[in-house]
Each structure stands twice: as structure tokens, then as C-alpha cells.
Amino acid sequence: MIIKSNIQRVLRYQHCVSNFYELGFDKIYSHNLAEAVGVSPEQVRKDFSEFGIRGNKRGGYDIHQLLDTFQDIFHGKVDKRTILIGMGNIGSALVKYRGFKKKRISILAAFDIDPSKIKGTYGIPVYHFDEVDKFINENCIHTAILSVPVVSVQQVTDELVKSGIIGFLNFTPAILQVPAHVVVNNIDLYLELESLFYYIRTSEHRNINCKEDKF
Amino acid sequence: MIIKSNIQRVLRYQHCVSNFYELGFDKIYSHNLAEAVGVSPEQVRKDFSEFGIRGNKRGGYDIHQLLDTFQDIFHGKVDKRTILIGMGNIGSALVKYRGFKKKRISILAAFDIDPSKIKGTYGIPVYHFDEVDKFINENCIHTAILSVPVVSVQQVTDELVKSGIIGFLNFTPAILQVPAHVVVNNIDLYLELESLFYYIRTSEHRNINCKEDKF
DNA sequence: TTAAATTTGTGAAAAAGTTATCAAAAAGCG
DNA sequence: CGCTTTTTGATAACTTTTTCACAAATTTAA
């Protein structure tokens, strides 16, 4: 049976369970997680059961056991490694982003078409994109973060697929064409912001006192 | 009847239709859009029909008319305005991000708890967070981008809600507690990357020749 | 020890979302 | 003009996801 439940939801549970652990709790109930993550308690239990996570009736879930299980599911004890392509605004920020390091994800190196232009210190090497194939093979990298300009992203992707990359975190608005075995997670900043404008416009709850209502 | 179809998918159609327009096309078929966006043609037609977009049997959709309709749906002719809170790595990058400007979205100002620390020029004013309430009311702002540290994001959100913000683009891993009329779009960078690692691990298609297979 | 209260786990039901099917309309063509 | 091809639009069928409902288990308390 293939697990298809939303992994991201389970990652949110993990985050929340860690918080409870930090606060000194030993057990947690589905309704605690539900409230914290913003889903229903039934959803939490269904998700857990898909991963074989069992609790105790009336006793909830053991936090230590939960954390161990999450570590198994997400390989929490190994350091994960990736590379980043494109050291523009977004790329440079991601290299410095602490949220990855905290969770034992390292960006091993960054690549750019013109590394000489890159200013500032990032704590990781910045190579020319020509070096990427060699680096991927020598370091056995499977994933890449794409923060290149949209015009070149498909070409860059094609080359990275050839070098063996099978997972992309794509920050460009392009819908990447990739072979079936390759996974792409898209983060389209414009899409998220524009859809937010749409939602607030249609939800009709904004401040009525605004004279100049232009959004 | 409330439209619930995925707005983000329609935004992708818009992007694709614009591309076709730039290339000089006058009409487009559901299968063109489907291929470009990575969905089924039926899905495209379903989405269109939810917005009352009609095509011609055998003639497809008129690109000019489509673009007009999209402009109506997304208020494409007005400049949209927002503010950004937290000028760390991510915040600073977003202020400089060209993807917003291209689509007529302006970040009018940024706010931080210590604006004197902010180095570099961003083309927009960077104020102390204490000024945010005044700014929101004077400029009639409805949305905010949150790129503050996760520990303070709930408190910041509460204050912004009080000032009248009803839409958030949240870059922290926190699940924000907000009143029912407030919309939150989350972009959790860690979640996207970690789930990518999960997918490629479970898809079992990675390079078998790797000696050192640690991800 | 027994009863009451609470919470899990699961199968059924409902809801939401996607895909398939096909008649009807329009375009192209001879 | 009439025939063929293509594509839409609508409805139906299917799939997936979420919620409901409740028995069974466990804890707490009297």
C-alpha cells in the first residue's frame, strides 16, 4: 500500500509535537495536534494510521515514541544535502536561511553563470554552473534548488536531470517539463501573493472605513 | 454560487495565455493550456466554466478575450500594494524580487524591529515596526508579507490584524491563529524541501551507481 | 471493583475534486 | 452545400479526501 497522505501535514505534526516536547509534555492527543495545525482530530488520526502510528485509547500518543517515528519517516538523524542554482536575490537569501540548517539540511554549494559577480560571504563555495555536473556526481546529490531567472530555468533543469538530479525545489513561475521519475516542488511567490489578493477581494471583509480602497 | 476552483491554476493559465499572446497567437485550445500547465484539458474547461469563460466549439478560446477576462478576475489593471514585515534574509530578498513588480504588485514599505541595522538600499522606506499601524491606516493596506522570526510572528500578526490587515503571506513555519475573516497563505521553505527529500526517497528512482547514498 | 469519562481506530458516509463520455457546434474542405 | 474533423460544454462516472459515527480500550475516580 502506497502512502499518499499529505506529507506536509505530517511534517507540521512533527513540528508541533516537538513544541510539546520542549514544553515538557509526555503525551499528546489528536485534538491538541488538530488545533495547533488547523485540521480536524479525525484527520490527524487518519494520517497517523497511514504511517502505522498507534496511540492509546484514552491515553493519546506518547510524545517520545512519536518523535522517534517521525525521525524514521523523515530520516531525521541523517544530514541532508542539496545544491542551489542561481545566486540572485532569492538564491542568496536561501543560502543564508537558518530554517534549513536547524533541520539538518545543508546547501553544500551554490552555482551561478557568473560567480565573479557574487558579492558577500555565504559560508559555502559559489562555483560556475559548468562545474555542477562534476559536483553532483562527486558528492552524490539528488536534489537542487532552482532560483535562476525564469528564461533559463528549463535549460538548467534539463542539464541537471542529465547529471542525475531527481528532485527540484523550483522558485521560478515556470512549469518544468521533466521525466516521470523526477519530482518538482514549486514555490511561486507571485502566485501566492496574487491569490491572496483574490481571496481577500472575494471574502468581502475588509475595512469599510477605507476611503481609498485600491488594495 | 461561490467559486472554489483553484485560483492558482487559473493564474497559471493566465501566464500561459500571455505567453501565447506574445508569440502572436489569436486563439488557444484547452489542450494547449493543459499541456503547458500540466493538467488535463477537461480540467481547464471545468475551471474556465466556473468563471463563465466560454470558448467556441472547434474554435477554441479567443486569446484577447481571455486576457481581458483574466484582467477582470484578478484586477489586472490596478496596482496592488502590500507591506513587508521583517527585513532578514528572506525579507530583504523579497523587497528586491522582480517577479512582483512585473505584475504590478508593489511592496510600499518594509518594517523591522531594528531598522538601523538594515544595510543596503532597497528603493523603499524601512520603518520601525511601531510605525506600522499608522502606515496601514494612512495607506489603506489590506495585506502583509511576514518574514519575521518564527518566535515573534504570532504577536506581530495579532497587531497587524488589529490594524486592519486581512491577508497574510506567511514565510514562517508557524500556523497562525487568526480571526475567521483573515486569510493566510503559508510558504514554508523547510516543508517544501523536506517533503521533496521524502518523495525522492520513496519514489526509488535515484541513481543506483551512487556509492555514498546519503541524500 | 465498578462506573463514568475520554480518546483512539476504523469502516461507512459525505464531500470534493478529477477524468471520461458524448452530443452539439463550428470550421475546413472538396 | 454537405461531409468530415475538431473542440467545446455539460453531465455522468469515478477517484480521492475528509468527516462522521461509534465500538473498544484505557484511565480516573468513587
Side-chain angles (χ1 to χ4, degrees):
Chain A
M1 194 180 80
I2 297 147
I3 292 155
K4 284 200 296 205
S5 141
N6 198 336
I7 290 299
Q8 301 207 348
R9 215 161 42 211
V10 179
L11 281 164
R12 290 212 177 89
Y13 302 150
Q14 180 183 38
H15 185 243
C16 176
V17 173
S18 298
N19 288 157
F20 269 72
Y21 173 77
E22 299 292 332
L23 292 168
F25 286 91
D26 286 321
K27 52 187 186 177
I28 194 166
Y29 304 110
S30 57
H31 66 85
N32 299 137
L33 281 165
E35 197 188 13
V37 172
V39 299
S40 71
E42 295 85 358
Q43 181 84 82
V44 175
R45 298 203 295 271
K46 263 269 149 69
D47 288 338
F48 277 11
S49 83
E50 257 196 287
F51 285 91
I53 295 171
R54 318 296 311 243
N56 294 310
K57 290 194 165 79
R58 176 79 208 252
Y61 300 89
D62 180 82
I63 282 187
H64 305 86
Q65 197 182 313
L66 269 183
L67 289 175
D68 284 350
T69 308
F70 288 141
Q71 287 228 329
D72 289 347
I73 295 171
F74 298 117
H75 288 211
K77 280 179 185 156
V78 301
D79 292 312
K80 281 157 207 151
R81 300 132 65 225
T82 190
I83 54 173
L84 181 141
I85 322 292
M87 282 293 278
N89 299 328
I90 300 293
S92 314
L94 293 172
V95 166
K96 289 192 269 180
Y97 185 58
R98 287 193 190 83
F100 296 147
K101 284 172 207 153
K102 270 186 217 161
K103 301 282 190 169
R104 308 185 62 166
I105 295 176
S106 311
I107 299 173
L108 286 196
F111 297 85
D112 199 281
I113 210 69
D114 191 355
S116 68
K117 263 196 210 152
I118 313 305
K119 284 162 196 111
T121 51
Y122 295 95
I124 59 162
V126 182
Y127 301 117
H128 192 278
F129 184 68
D130 290 347
E131 315 270 344
V132 80
D133 181 70
K134 190 164 154 256
F135 191 92
I136 287 167
N137 285 292
E138 282 178 0
N139 294 278
C140 202
I141 303 295
H142 301 96
T143 57
I145 299 171
L146 297 169
S147 46
V148 297
V150 63
V151 289
S152 54
V153 70
Q154 185 62 58
Q155 197 192 326
V156 165
T157 303
D158 293 345
E159 296 192 33
L160 293 171
V161 168
K162 271 186 213 151
S163 300
I165 297 295
I166 53 167
F168 292 96
L169 187 56
N170 172 32
F171 280 86
T172 78
I175 306 291
L176 300 177
Q177 308 297 317
V178 292
H181 69 278
V182 175
V183 183
V184 181
N185 272 192
N186 294 301
I187 297 183
D188 188 328
L189 303 171
Y190 161 69
L191 231 61
E192 295 293 339
L193 192 47
E194 186 72 87
S195 59
L196 185 65
F197 282 113
Y198 181 86
Y199 290 133
I200 65 161
R201 242 186 284 120
T202 52
S203 78
E204 300 290 349
H205 276 103
R206 73 211 107 83
N207 183 2
I208 246 64
N209 303 322
C210 253
K211 302 132 227 163
E212 172 212 11
D213 207 350
K214 286 185 193 159
F215 297 95
Chain B
M1 194 182 79
I2 299 148
I3 293 155
K4 285 201 293 204
S5 143
N6 198 336
I7 290 299
Q8 301 207 350
R9 214 160 44 211
V10 180
L11 280 164
R12 291 211 176 88
Y13 302 150
Q14 179 181 39
H15 185 244
C16 175
V17 173
S18 297
N19 288 157
F20 269 73
Y21 173 79
E22 298 292 333
L23 293 168
F25 287 92
D26 286 321
K27 52 187 185 179
I28 194 166
Y29 303 111
S30 58
H31 66 85
N32 301 135
L33 281 164
E35 197 189 12
V37 173
V39 298
S40 71
E42 294 84 359
Q43 181 83 80
V44 175
R45 298 204 294 273
K46 257 271 153 70
D47 289 336
F48 277 11
S49 83
E50 257 196 287
F51 286 91
I53 296 172
R54 316 295 312 238
N56 294 310
K57 291 195 163 80
R58 174 78 208 254
Y61 300 89
D62 180 82
I63 282 186
H64 305 86
Q65 198 181 313
L66 268 184
L67 289 176
D68 284 350
T69 308
F70 287 140
Q71 287 228 329
D72 289 347
I73 295 172
F74 299 116
H75 289 211
K77 281 178 184 155
V78 302
D79 293 311
K80 282 156 209 150
R81 301 133 63 226
T82 189
I83 55 173
L84 181 141
I85 322 293
M87 281 294 275
N89 299 327
I90 300 293
S92 313
L94 292 171
V95 167
K96 289 192 268 180
Y97 185 58
R98 288 195 190 84
F100 296 148
K101 285 172 206 150
K102 272 186 214 161
K103 302 283 189 168
R104 309 184 62 165
I105 295 176
S106 311
I107 299 173
L108 286 197
F111 298 84
D112 198 280
I113 210 68
D114 191 354
S116 67
K117 265 199 209 147
I118 313 302
K119 283 158 197 115
T121 51
Y122 295 96
I124 60 163
V126 181
Y127 301 117
H128 192 279
F129 184 69
D130 290 348
E131 315 269 344
V132 79
D133 180 72
K134 190 164 156 254
F135 191 92
I136 288 167
N137 285 292
E138 281 177 2
N139 294 278
C140 202
I141 303 295
H142 300 95
T143 58
I145 299 172
L146 297 169
S147 46
V148 297
V150 63
V151 289
S152 54
V153 70
Q154 185 62 57
Q155 196 193 327
V156 166
T157 303
D158 293 345
E159 295 193 33
L160 293 170
V161 168
K162 269 186 214 151
S163 300
I165 297 296
I166 53 165
F168 291 96
L169 187 54
N170 172 32
F171 280 86
T172 78
I175 306 291
L176 301 176
Q177 308 298 317
V178 292
H181 68 280
V182 175
V183 184
V184 180
N185 272 192
N186 294 301
I187 297 183
D188 188 329
L189 303 171
Y190 161 70
L191 231 61
E192 296 292 338
L193 192 47
E194 187 72 86
S195 60
L196 185 64
F197 281 113
Y198 181 86
Y199 290 133
I200 65 161
R201 242 186 283 120
T202 51
S203 79
E204 300 291 345
H205 276 101
R206 72 210 108 85
N207 183 0
I208 246 64
N209 303 320
C210 252
K211 300 134 230 164
E212 174 212 9
D213 207 351
K214 287 187 192 157
F215 299 95

